[in-house]
Amino acid sequence: MPIDTTLVGREFPPTRPYLVTEADVTAFATATGSAAARVPATFPVVVTFRALLDFLEAEQVDLSRIVHGDQRFAYERPVVVGDELTATLTVTGVRQIEGTDILRTTSTITDGTGDLVCTAGATIVHRGDA
Amino acid sequence: MTTLAAGTVLEPQEYAVRRADLLAYAAASGDPNPIHQDEEIARAVGLPGVIAHGMYTMALAARAVATWTGDAEVVEIGCKFTAPVVVPADGSATVRVAGTVKSVADGLATLALEVTCAGEKVLGAPKAVVRVG
């Protein structure tokens, strides 16, 4: 099922606030082999991925047909334990090439006070049934 | 920790990636995509086999950056996912992260990375910007 091209420009509802716990950071750092004096740089994917899952559910897209095209994080400040993070995903572009949908998204990650922590850009590739 | 000056070649880091690592990463990151666990599903969607999460490979790139910079604050990190890291059922795939300091200015060092698996680049234009000094 092709992804609806009229989604471009649409902002999806923010994810529910996600509390960054010591345990979650340790699990992420252990899984990626990091020493983790600091929250690992790619940790915000935990929040942006939730936004993506919400989006895929809303659009009835099967996760197993999704691969990641690119990803970028630009940080206003490092994420720290105790942050309450929310991601808001906006679709910035949809292209279709031979049955594959290429979706550009931007997610803003804000803390409990609404301040910007990180901006994440991602390209999501949806492989069609062909 | 390496002193970061423009042109500095950073010592390549190698990481073994096993299926068990992908399982742990799936749990820690909240990404349950079965293409990172299940050979049959991965092949059914046209992949060569079970592949590592792109974000897992990116996390390994970030790990190398942390090693090189003494866990410096990362201001920006990004890459394209250009080729999959295929992880065998037994044994492991090896991801190699090499890097060069491209520039140091205004308290920020820009690192150009090269991330390969079995000699093939798996990330496109991977780059990290860290705070220094």
mmCIF file of all heavy atoms in Angstrom, chain B residues 90-124:
data_model
loop_
_atom_site.group_PDB
_atom_site.id
_atom_site.type_symbol
_atom_site.label_atom_id
_atom_site.label_comp_id
_atom_site.label_asym_id
_atom_site.label_seq_id
_atom_site.Cartn_x
_atom_site.Cartn_y
_atom_site.Cartn_z
ATOM 1 N N ASP B 90 25.073 -17.685 13.436
ATOM 2 C CA ASP B 90 26.181 -18.046 14.325
ATOM 3 C C ASP B 90 27.340 -17.128 14.022
ATOM 4 O O ASP B 90 27.519 -16.701 12.890
ATOM 5 C CB ASP B 90 26.604 -19.501 14.088
ATOM 6 C CG ASP B 90 25.451 -20.462 14.352
ATOM 7 O OD1 ASP B 90 24.871 -20.385 15.452
ATOM 8 O OD2 ASP B 90 25.123 -21.260 13.458
ATOM 9 N N GLY B 91 28.134 -16.841 15.031
ATOM 10 C CA GLY B 91 29.281 -15.964 14.811
ATOM 11 C C GLY B 91 28.840 -14.521 14.756
ATOM 12 O O GLY B 91 27.797 -14.161 15.307
ATOM 13 N N SER B 92 29.607 -13.698 14.054
ATOM 14 C CA SER B 92 29.328 -12.268 14.099
ATOM 15 C C SER B 92 29.751 -11.576 12.815
ATOM 16 O O SER B 92 30.494 -12.135 12.013
ATOM 17 C CB SER B 92 30.074 -11.636 15.276
ATOM 18 O OG SER B 92 31.470 -11.851 15.133
ATOM 19 N N ALA B 93 29.243 -10.376 12.645
ATOM 20 C CA ALA B 93 29.719 -9.476 11.595
ATOM 21 C C ALA B 93 30.620 -8.461 12.302
ATOM 22 O O ALA B 93 30.411 -8.173 13.481
ATOM 23 C CB ALA B 93 28.536 -8.767 10.947
ATOM 24 N N THR B 94 31.614 -7.955 11.597
ATOM 25 C CA THR B 94 32.496 -6.969 12.219
ATOM 26 C C THR B 94 32.267 -5.605 11.583
ATOM 27 O O THR B 94 32.361 -5.466 10.360
ATOM 28 C CB THR B 94 33.980 -7.375 12.052
ATOM 29 O OG1 THR B 94 34.144 -8.655 12.659
ATOM 30 C CG2 THR B 94 34.914 -6.376 12.724
ATOM 31 N N VAL B 95 31.938 -4.647 12.428
ATOM 32 C CA VAL B 95 31.771 -3.268 11.961
ATOM 33 C C VAL B 95 33.030 -2.501 12.348
ATOM 34 O O VAL B 95 33.468 -2.549 13.498
ATOM 35 C CB VAL B 95 30.516 -2.616 12.586
ATOM 36 C CG1 VAL B 95 30.481 -1.119 12.308
ATOM 37 C CG2 VAL B 95 29.258 -3.281 12.043
ATOM 38 N N ARG B 96 33.616 -1.825 11.366
ATOM 39 C CA ARG B 96 34.843 -1.073 11.593
ATOM 40 C C ARG B 96 34.551 0.414 11.431
ATOM 41 O O ARG B 96 33.957 0.817 10.422
ATOM 42 C CB ARG B 96 35.895 -1.513 10.572
ATOM 43 C CG ARG B 96 37.251 -0.874 10.722
ATOM 44 C CD ARG B 96 38.186 -1.478 9.660
ATOM 45 N NE ARG B 96 39.571 -1.111 9.873
ATOM 46 C CZ ARG B 96 40.156 -0.041 9.355
ATOM 47 N NH1 ARG B 96 39.448 0.787 8.608
ATOM 48 N NH2 ARG B 96 41.434 0.199 9.588
ATOM 49 N N VAL B 97 34.939 1.184 12.427
ATOM 50 C CA VAL B 97 34.707 2.631 12.383
ATOM 51 C C VAL B 97 36.055 3.342 12.345
ATOM 52 O O VAL B 97 36.852 3.227 13.276
ATOM 53 C CB VAL B 97 33.892 3.120 13.605
ATOM 54 C CG1 VAL B 97 33.547 4.608 13.464
ATOM 55 C CG2 VAL B 97 32.622 2.298 13.796
ATOM 56 N N ALA B 98 36.299 4.031 11.234
ATOM 57 C CA ALA B 98 37.518 4.826 11.096
ATOM 58 C C ALA B 98 37.101 6.293 11.069
ATOM 59 O O ALA B 98 35.924 6.606 10.839
ATOM 60 C CB ALA B 98 38.241 4.448 9.806
ATOM 61 N N GLY B 99 38.030 7.173 11.317
ATOM 62 C CA GLY B 99 37.656 8.577 11.315
ATOM 63 C C GLY B 99 38.841 9.509 11.176
ATOM 64 O O GLY B 99 39.982 9.137 11.463
ATOM 65 N N THR B 100 38.537 10.703 10.704
ATOM 66 C CA THR B 100 39.530 11.759 10.553
ATOM 67 C C THR B 100 38.930 13.051 11.090
ATOM 68 O O THR B 100 37.737 13.296 10.901
ATOM 69 C CB THR B 100 39.867 11.974 9.055
ATOM 70 O OG1 THR B 100 40.165 10.708 8.479
ATOM 71 C CG2 THR B 100 41.049 12.899 8.866
ATOM 72 N N VAL B 101 39.747 13.848 11.740
ATOM 73 C CA VAL B 101 39.265 15.159 12.180
ATOM 74 C C VAL B 101 39.302 16.072 10.968
ATOM 75 O O VAL B 101 40.354 16.305 10.377
ATOM 76 C CB VAL B 101 40.145 15.738 13.308
ATOM 77 C CG1 VAL B 101 39.594 17.094 13.749
ATOM 78 C CG2 VAL B 101 40.224 14.768 14.484
ATOM 79 N N LYS B 102 38.119 16.557 10.592
ATOM 80 C CA LYS B 102 38.020 17.381 9.388
ATOM 81 C C LYS B 102 38.384 18.834 9.711
ATOM 82 O O LYS B 102 39.103 19.476 8.971
ATOM 83 C CB LYS B 102 36.593 17.303 8.862
ATOM 84 C CG LYS B 102 36.511 17.152 7.360
ATOM 85 C CD LYS B 102 35.085 16.858 6.952
ATOM 86 C CE LYS B 102 34.679 17.775 5.810
ATOM 87 N NZ LYS B 102 33.238 17.710 5.569
ATOM 88 N N SER B 103 37.838 19.316 10.821
ATOM 89 C CA SER B 103 38.112 20.704 11.186
ATOM 90 C C SER B 103 37.897 20.890 12.682
ATOM 91 O O SER B 103 37.164 20.128 13.316
ATOM 92 C CB SER B 103 37.193 21.654 10.407
ATOM 93 O OG SER B 103 35.847 21.397 10.752
ATOM 94 N N VAL B 104 38.568 21.901 13.222
ATOM 95 C CA VAL B 104 38.332 22.298 14.613
ATOM 96 C C VAL B 104 38.203 23.819 14.595
ATOM 97 O O VAL B 104 39.123 24.524 14.169
ATOM 98 C CB VAL B 104 39.495 21.886 15.539
ATOM 99 C CG1 VAL B 104 39.193 22.296 16.981
ATOM 100 C CG2 VAL B 104 39.744 20.376 15.477
ATOM 101 N N ALA B 105 37.028 24.293 14.996
ATOM 102 C CA ALA B 105 36.800 25.737 14.993
ATOM 103 C C ALA B 105 35.694 26.091 15.962
ATOM 104 O O ALA B 105 34.741 25.325 16.124
ATOM 105 C CB ALA B 105 36.422 26.204 13.580
ATOM 106 N N ASP B 106 35.819 27.229 16.616
ATOM 107 C CA ASP B 106 34.789 27.745 17.524
ATOM 108 C C ASP B 106 34.377 26.732 18.584
ATOM 109 O O ASP B 106 33.196 26.597 18.910
ATOM 110 C CB ASP B 106 33.545 28.190 16.730
ATOM 111 C CG ASP B 106 33.879 29.223 15.665
ATOM 112 O OD1 ASP B 106 34.758 30.065 15.920
ATOM 113 O OD2 ASP B 106 33.292 29.164 14.568
ATOM 114 N N GLY B 107 35.359 25.967 19.067
ATOM 115 C CA GLY B 107 35.067 25.008 20.129
ATOM 116 C C GLY B 107 34.368 23.746 19.671
ATOM 117 O O GLY B 107 33.894 22.963 20.493
ATOM 118 N N LEU B 108 34.315 23.557 18.358
ATOM 119 C CA LEU B 108 33.668 22.354 17.818
ATOM 120 C C LEU B 108 34.621 21.620 16.886
ATOM 121 O O LEU B 108 35.291 22.245 16.057
ATOM 122 C CB LEU B 108 32.400 22.725 17.039
ATOM 123 C CG LEU B 108 31.269 23.403 17.820
ATOM 124 C CD1 LEU B 108 30.154 23.826 16.865
ATOM 125 C CD2 LEU B 108 30.725 22.488 18.908
ATOM 126 N N ALA B 109 34.671 20.309 17.038
ATOM 127 C CA ALA B 109 35.468 19.490 16.118
ATOM 128 C C ALA B 109 34.509 18.676 15.252
ATOM 129 O O ALA B 109 33.556 18.076 15.759
ATOM 130 C CB ALA B 109 36.376 18.556 16.897
ATOM 131 N N THR B 110 34.768 18.701 13.960
ATOM 132 C CA THR B 110 33.962 17.916 13.024
ATOM 133 C C THR B 110 34.758 16.686 12.612
ATOM 134 O O THR B 110 35.894 16.801 12.153
ATOM 135 C CB THR B 110 33.605 18.749 11.782
ATOM 136 O OG1 THR B 110 32.861 19.896 12.222
ATOM 137 C CG2 THR B 110 32.764 17.962 10.789
ATOM 138 N N LEU B 111 34.165 15.519 12.824
ATOM 139 C CA LEU B 111 34.828 14.270 12.488
ATOM 140 C C LEU B 111 34.140 13.634 11.290
ATOM 141 O O LEU B 111 32.919 13.464 11.284
ATOM 142 C CB LEU B 111 34.766 13.283 13.668
ATOM 143 C CG LEU B 111 35.113 13.797 15.067
ATOM 144 C CD1 LEU B 111 35.076 12.646 16.066
ATOM 145 C CD2 LEU B 111 36.491 14.452 15.082
ATOM 146 N N ALA B 112 34.940 13.305 10.273
ATOM 147 C CA ALA B 112 34.415 12.561 9.126
ATOM 148 C C ALA B 112 34.706 11.094 9.405
ATOM 149 O O ALA B 112 35.844 10.730 9.701
ATOM 150 C CB ALA B 112 35.090 13.010 7.850
ATOM 151 N N LEU B 113 33.689 10.273 9.342
ATOM 152 C CA LEU B 113 33.854 8.863 9.682
ATOM 153 C C LEU B 113 33.785 7.990 8.431
ATOM 154 O O LEU B 113 33.290 8.414 7.387
ATOM 155 C CB LEU B 113 32.749 8.427 10.659
ATOM 156 C CG LEU B 113 32.491 9.333 11.862
ATOM 157 C CD1 LEU B 113 31.360 8.773 12.701
ATOM 158 C CD2 LEU B 113 33.752 9.492 12.699
ATOM 159 N N GLU B 114 34.291 6.776 8.589
ATOM 160 C CA GLU B 114 34.098 5.777 7.545
ATOM 161 C C GLU B 114 33.730 4.485 8.256
ATOM 162 O O GLU B 114 34.493 3.993 9.086
ATOM 163 C CB GLU B 114 35.370 5.598 6.723
ATOM 164 C CG GLU B 114 35.131 4.703 5.530
ATOM 165 C CD GLU B 114 36.374 4.509 4.676
ATOM 166 O OE1 GLU B 114 36.603 5.326 3.776
ATOM 167 O OE2 GLU B 114 37.099 3.536 4.943
ATOM 168 N N VAL B 115 32.554 3.985 7.951
ATOM 169 C CA VAL B 115 32.053 2.811 8.671
ATOM 170 C C VAL B 115 31.858 1.690 7.654
ATOM 171 O O VAL B 115 31.112 1.835 6.681
ATOM 172 C CB VAL B 115 30.736 3.140 9.409
ATOM 173 C CG1 VAL B 115 30.237 1.932 10.183
ATOM 174 C CG2 VAL B 115 30.945 4.330 10.349
ATOM 175 N N THR B 116 32.569 0.591 7.883
ATOM 176 C CA THR B 116 32.561 -0.503 6.915
ATOM 177 C C THR B 116 32.258 -1.842 7.596
ATOM 178 O O THR B 116 32.443 -1.999 8.805
ATOM 179 C CB THR B 116 33.935 -0.615 6.203
ATOM 180 O OG1 THR B 116 34.955 -0.704 7.197
ATOM 181 C CG2 THR B 116 34.215 0.581 5.323
ATOM 182 N N CYS B 117 31.806 -2.783 6.761
ATOM 183 C CA CYS B 117 31.617 -4.162 7.207
ATOM 184 C C CYS B 117 32.125 -5.032 6.068
ATOM 185 O O CYS B 117 31.691 -4.851 4.928
ATOM 186 C CB CYS B 117 30.140 -4.421 7.498
ATOM 187 S SG CYS B 117 29.816 -6.097 8.076
ATOM 188 N N ALA B 118 33.070 -5.905 6.366
ATOM 189 C CA ALA B 118 33.700 -6.751 5.342
ATOM 190 C C ALA B 118 34.202 -5.909 4.162
ATOM 191 O O ALA B 118 34.038 -6.282 3.002
ATOM 192 C CB ALA B 118 32.725 -7.829 4.865
ATOM 193 N N GLY B 119 34.777 -4.765 4.462
ATOM 194 C CA GLY B 119 35.390 -3.920 3.446
ATOM 195 C C GLY B 119 34.423 -3.032 2.682
ATOM 196 O O GLY B 119 34.838 -2.198 1.885
ATOM 197 N N GLU B 120 33.130 -3.184 2.937
ATOM 198 C CA GLU B 120 32.137 -2.379 2.219
ATOM 199 C C GLU B 120 31.611 -1.274 3.131
ATOM 200 O O GLU B 120 31.307 -1.511 4.305
ATOM 201 C CB GLU B 120 30.968 -3.270 1.787
ATOM 202 C CG GLU B 120 29.984 -2.563 0.888
ATOM 203 C CD GLU B 120 28.694 -3.371 0.631
ATOM 204 O OE1 GLU B 120 28.539 -4.451 1.216
ATOM 205 O OE2 GLU B 120 27.853 -2.884 -0.146
ATOM 206 N N LYS B 121 31.480 -0.078 2.571
ATOM 207 C CA LYS B 121 30.907 1.030 3.349
ATOM 208 C C LYS B 121 29.435 0.743 3.622
ATOM 209 O O LYS B 121 28.680 0.428 2.702
ATOM 210 C CB LYS B 121 31.007 2.348 2.565
ATOM 211 C CG LYS B 121 32.383 2.965 2.620
ATOM 212 C CD LYS B 121 32.378 4.347 1.985
ATOM 213 C CE LYS B 121 33.813 4.811 1.787
ATOM 214 N NZ LYS B 121 33.913 6.128 1.147
ATOM 215 N N VAL B 122 29.041 0.855 4.875
ATOM 216 C CA VAL B 122 27.635 0.600 5.223
ATOM 217 C C VAL B 122 26.896 1.890 5.583
ATOM 218 O O VAL B 122 25.671 1.925 5.577
ATOM 219 C CB VAL B 122 27.504 -0.444 6.354
ATOM 220 C CG1 VAL B 122 27.927 -1.821 5.852
ATOM 221 C CG2 VAL B 122 28.298 -0.055 7.593
ATOM 222 N N LEU B 123 27.649 2.938 5.914
ATOM 223 C CA LEU B 123 27.032 4.236 6.177
ATOM 224 C C LEU B 123 27.537 5.233 5.152
ATOM 225 O O LEU B 123 28.702 5.189 4.754
ATOM 226 C CB LEU B 123 27.372 4.742 7.589
ATOM 227 C CG LEU B 123 26.939 3.864 8.775
ATOM 228 C CD1 LEU B 123 27.242 4.579 10.091
ATOM 229 C CD2 LEU B 123 25.470 3.486 8.698
ATOM 230 N N GLY B 124 26.644 6.130 4.714
ATOM 231 C CA GLY B 124 27.020 7.164 3.760
ATOM 232 C C GLY B 124 27.294 8.459 4.496
ATOM 233 O O GLY B 124 26.480 8.884 5.311
#
